[in-house]
Structure formats: structure tokens, C-alpha cells
Amino acid sequence: MSHAENELTTQPECWIRAADLAVRHKDALASPGERVAVVGCGTSFFMAQAVAALREGAGLGETDAFAASEFPAARSYDRVIALTRSGTTTEVLDLLARLRGGVRTTAITADPETPVMRAADDLVVLDFADEQSVVQTRFATTALTLLRAHLGLHTEQAVADARTALAEPLPAGLVECSQFTFLGKGWTNGLAQEAALKMREASLSWTEAYPAMEYRHGPISISTDTTATWMFGEAPAGLAEEVRATGALWIEGALDPLAELVRAQRLAVAVAAHRNLDPDRPRHLRRSIVLDTP
């Protein structure tokens, strides 16, 4: 069993622990009404997109998400929350250094024994969700669960659905597909992007992700009987029928969207195995991007 496969199976237990931690760290995770930016790189950026949409959609305050390298220096916030599994990512550390003394910052990390411990004003450590695999699975979803719980949006059903996602077989014929498209709406757009990234990283698959209503505006043209389209959350009316008419395999997201991401992680590992690839060691990638800077 790969590290990635082993780690993704522990997510229900990690989510329970993260939800319990949310109360303890409530002061570090932004108060209602604060103007907040959530930042990260790679997987953490997509989780930032999801939580930003959740928080603003819940009416708790203006919330933006940025790749750490694209943070707008001229924009003001009450708090910046940085997601970083390793605590060593160059772009995140550089941003936190620039913000010090001007805006309150919080880092959510898996490893406190790293530079991020000194770079952020507040620290939330999810060391129980750390990973050996280069490919992120449980840290990303656990960090998002922590923030969902802080927003009052986490439910026991999400954990139950994650267990279902781990137990049920993947849809027949899905592993053999040649192309995968993931669709989202609102906060699940970030999850769709993350699912596509997992497929690219672990299995070198041709994958794309779009807001669901955008799929008709061009991307549907690649759909054939060897492709799959996977919806995170409720699909727009008529879209499933249009996709099936192309011959493509349509996957309906019936579970909590975060649990659907667990299913997509399983797919990435399964496709990697089908193609004799090592999902723990994606080509050209490493656990943390640490750049040489002047």
C-alpha cells in the first residue's frame, strides 16, 4: 500500500479531531465581520478558495483567496490565514514576512518545527494529519474541516460520508477513462480544482476543472465515450443529460462534497496503480517548494 493510499483512509478520524480543535483556536481563525484573505500554494490554494467561498457565502465577512505569490499588496485585511502543510514554502513565508506588523496572520500547518512557527502571529498545528507522501490528501481536507467547523458548517454527516467514500467501490469503468473533468459550484469549485490536481500529480492524467455552468461553454466538446465528468455538489439542471448524450461517463456527487474529494483521491491512486505509477513520488515534484532567494 502506498503512503498516499494509507493516509487518505485516515481522513474521517482526522476530521473529527480537527472539528474538536476549532473551538480551541477560534480567536486565531477570524471573527465574524472581519475582512479576511486565505492564502496557500498548490493544494492549499484550492482549499483557500473553498473556505473563502464558504465564509463569505455564510455572511461572515468579505473573504478572498489568493495564491501566496499573487497576494495584492495594496488591499487591506483584518487577518490573513495561510495554509501550509510543510511550513517551509517560500512564497508563503515571504508573504508572512511582508505582512508582519501590518495585519494579523494565522498559519495552519502540519509541522510546527519549521520557519512558519516564527513567521505567523498565530499558529494552528494539525500534526496528526501530516503526510509522508508528496501528494497531499488528509492534511488538505483536515485543514478545510477545521475551518468549516469554525464557521459552523461542519456536520457529522460529512464524516459518515467520508467513510462511505472509502468503503464503496469506484464506479465501473472510471479507472479506464482517458480524461477526467471535475465540476463545482460556489465553494466546491476549489474542490473540483483540487480533484483535478490530484489526478495530474498521482496518475499523470489529463484532467480539467471548471465551474459547472461553464462546462457548456466549450469544455464539453472534448467529451467522448472514453472521458468522465464528475460533479461536486448539485448539478445544474439538464447538465447530466447533456454530458451523457456525448457518451461520456457522468459521476453524480451524491455525498458531502468534501467526501466526494476523498473518492477522487481514491481514483487518483487507483489510476496510478492501473498505469504502474508511484503516487507517492510524482515526477518533477517534491513535498515543499523551497526557492533560492537573494
Side-chain angles (χ1 to χ4, degrees):
M1 181 180 290
S2 66
H3 290 308
E5 185 175 4
N6 180 59
E7 288 159 356
L8 71 84
T9 63
T10 66
Q11 288 175 103
E13 292 71 31
C14 288
W15 295 5
I16 292 170
R17 293 183 66 177
D20 289 341
L21 282 175
V23 174
R24 185 189 310 174
H25 293 288
K26 64 182 180 65
D27 293 336
L29 298 176
S31 301
E34 284 188 333
R35 195 158 189 261
V36 175
V38 191
V39 301
C41 298
T43 287
S44 292
F45 171 46
F46 298 138
M47 295 299 99
Q49 289 180 323
V51 74
L54 278 172
R55 185 175 186 271
E56 188 158 316
L60 296 174
E62 292 184 16
T63 315
D64 296 320
F66 301 102
S69 59
E70 296 296 319
F71 186 84
R75 197 170 295 183
S76 62
Y77 293 95
D78 299 308
R79 183 178 293 271
V80 172
I81 299 174
L83 306 179
T84 169
R85 176 181 66 171
S86 69
T88 60
T89 304
T90 296
E91 297 99 304
V92 172
L93 294 176
D94 285 351
L95 175 60
L96 292 174
R98 293 200 306 272
L99 296 175
R100 180 168 287 280
V103 59
R104 192 79 184 173
T105 59
T106 298
I108 300 175
T109 186
D111 187 354
E113 303 300 323
T114 56
V116 77
M117 181 173 64
R118 298 177 297 278
D121 297 310
D122 297 303
L123 194 68
V124 180
V125 179
L126 305 176
D127 51 355
F128 56 88
D130 203 356
E131 296 156 327
Q132 296 185 61
S133 178
V134 169
V135 173
Q136 282 198 53
T137 54
R138 70 184 180 191
F139 175 76
T141 63
T142 300
L144 183 52
T145 296
L146 172 84
L147 291 161
R148 282 181 88 184
H150 172 67
L151 300 174
L153 301 174
H154 172 71
T155 66
E156 292 182 1
Q157 187 61 49
V159 176
D161 281 357
R163 292 196 171 107
T164 298
L166 291 167
E168 291 186 347
L170 294 169
L174 185 58
V175 169
E176 292 76 23
C177 286
S178 63
Q179 191 278 340
F180 305 87
T181 298
F182 299 91
L183 305 178
K185 290 175 63 181
W187 76 281
T188 68
N189 278 317
L191 303 187
Q193 291 288 345
E194 171 58 10
L197 179 63
K198 287 288 89 69
M199 294 296 296
R200 287 191 288 270
E201 289 177 335
S203 66
L204 306 182
S205 295
W206 171 20
T207 59
E208 300 176 350
Y210 302 96
M213 290 296 287
E214 286 296 304
Y215 195 58
R216 296 180 175 98
H217 296 272
I220 196 171
S221 63
I222 66 171
S223 293
T224 71
D225 58 4
T226 64
T227 66
T229 302
W230 191 325
M231 182 70 213
F232 281 70
E234 184 179 356
L239 184 58
E241 292 75 16
E242 291 179 47
V243 171
R244 291 191 183 104
T246 71
L249 180 62
W250 171 262
I251 307 298
E252 191 76 43
L255 302 174
D256 179 273
L258 198 55
E260 286 294 327
L261 180 57
V262 174
R263 280 215 301 165
Q265 293 168 348
R266 286 184 58 212
L267 174 63
V269 171
V271 174
H274 182 69
R275 298 176 180 178
N276 294 315
L277 299 171
D278 182 354
D280 290 334
R281 297 175 180 82
R283 66 183 186 186
H284 315 313
L285 295 179
R286 54 188 186 273
R287 173 180 164 87
S288 175
I289 305 302
V290 180
L291 305 175
D292 293 327
T293 56

